[in-house]
Amino acid sequence: MILSFFDQFMSPTHLGIPLIALALSLPWVLIPTPTNRWLNNRFLTLQGWFINRFTQQLMLPINLGGHKWAVLLTALMLLLITLNLLGLLPYTFTPTTQLSLNMGLAVPLWLATVIIGMRNQPTAALGHLLPEGTPVPLIPVLIIIETISLFIRPLALGVRLTANLTAGHLLIQLIATAAFVLLPMMPAVAILTSTVLFLLTLLEVAVAMIQAYVFVLLLSLYLQENV
């Protein structure tokens, strides 16, 4: 029973071929593209409004040099939201529950922000390792601590996204299993458990969107420090 709970996080394969590439490419098919008409339908209008508002809020505190990242960060936001929400459907696979995928997204983007800071403003980038006004005896210790915290950032990005989604999926499966088992024995308790399951599902929908936003927001903050 314990192993079956974690089977949902295994990467699906067909005839020995991993299907994670298909799971990553499918969300882009579901996102509609604008047409050449003067007026789009309501869904396209809502999608365009959401993308514009999100991009404005994300790029507001960043200098003009960092606005080149707007398309990349917005596309990453849409990808993560779509993957997280599709993973809540029954009999689906959530690629963002894989730590390897999340680290593969977090490490290159974090490293790009660090390289940009070292290339454009090396003095300010290295100055983040030592706060102003630090006593002389604490300088070596603080430099080591800040360096460690700098390298922990991509790990925190990947682990946060993986842990939140994995915990939510496990809770949903545990409560759904309890409701199914209790239904023939105690229908009243099963109905109460199903109500909890419904509320938890709504919570997980919010968590799926919030975690995607937090992932991109933290990347934008790292970019802001180095631009």
Side-chain angles (χ1 to χ4, degrees):
M1 179 63 70
I2 296 178
L3 291 177
S4 65
F5 285 151
F6 291 91
D7 287 345
Q8 59 177 319
F9 304 116
M10 296 176 60
S11 181
T13 58
H14 181 67
L15 299 178
I17 302 174
L19 300 180
I20 190 170
L22 180 62
L24 289 174
S25 59
L26 181 61
W28 296 114
V29 182
L30 301 178
I31 298 177
T33 55
T35 62
N36 294 326
R37 300 176 181 177
W38 287 2
L39 292 177
N40 292 317
N41 57 37
R42 295 177 181 177
F43 185 74
L44 282 174
T45 304
L46 181 62
Q47 174 185 280
W49 175 84
F50 169 76
I51 292 176
N52 289 334
R53 291 295 299 173
F54 171 75
T55 307
Q56 289 176 5
Q57 293 295 326
L58 193 66
M59 294 290 115
L60 190 61
I62 301 178
N63 297 333
L64 290 177
H67 289 188
K68 302 175 184 178
W69 286 60
V71 176
L72 175 61
L73 293 179
T74 304
L76 180 62
M77 172 75 170
L78 291 175
L79 175 65
L80 291 178
I81 282 183
T82 312
L83 287 176
N84 294 347
L85 292 179
L86 288 178
L88 293 174
L89 297 175
Y91 301 103
T92 56
F93 170 66
T94 313
T96 44
T97 56
Q98 305 295 311
L99 182 61
S100 57
L101 173 66
N102 297 331
M103 293 300 295
L105 292 174
V107 172
L109 294 173
W110 164 82
L111 186 59
T113 61
V114 174
I115 292 175
I116 287 175
M118 292 294 184
R119 186 187 66 179
N120 295 340
Q121 44 182 10
T123 304
L126 293 176
H128 292 146
L129 300 179
L130 185 63
E132 187 177 355
T134 303
V136 177
L138 296 178
I139 287 179
V141 179
L142 279 180
I143 290 178
I144 295 175
I145 293 175
E146 292 295 332
T147 304
I148 294 174
S149 67
L150 178 66
F151 283 97
I152 283 179
R153 284 179 173 181
L155 181 63
L157 280 176
V159 170
R160 181 187 296 107
L161 183 59
T162 304
N164 280 282
L165 295 179
T166 303
H169 284 68
L170 282 176
L171 278 176
I172 288 177
Q173 187 168 2
L174 285 170
I175 296 178
T177 304
F180 180 76
V181 172
L182 291 173
L183 185 60
M185 296 183 295
M186 293 180 286
V189 179
I191 293 174
L192 180 61
T193 308
S194 301
T195 305
V196 175
L197 176 63
F198 175 74
L199 296 176
L200 179 62
T201 304
L202 294 181
L203 177 64
E204 285 305 312
V205 170
V207 168
M209 294 186 288
I210 290 172
Q211 289 304 316
Y213 176 72
V214 168
F215 189 92
V216 177
L217 179 64
L218 290 177
L219 280 175
S220 68
L221 293 178
Y222 301 156
L223 178 65
Q224 181 182 353
E225 290 181 358
N226 294 285
V227 173

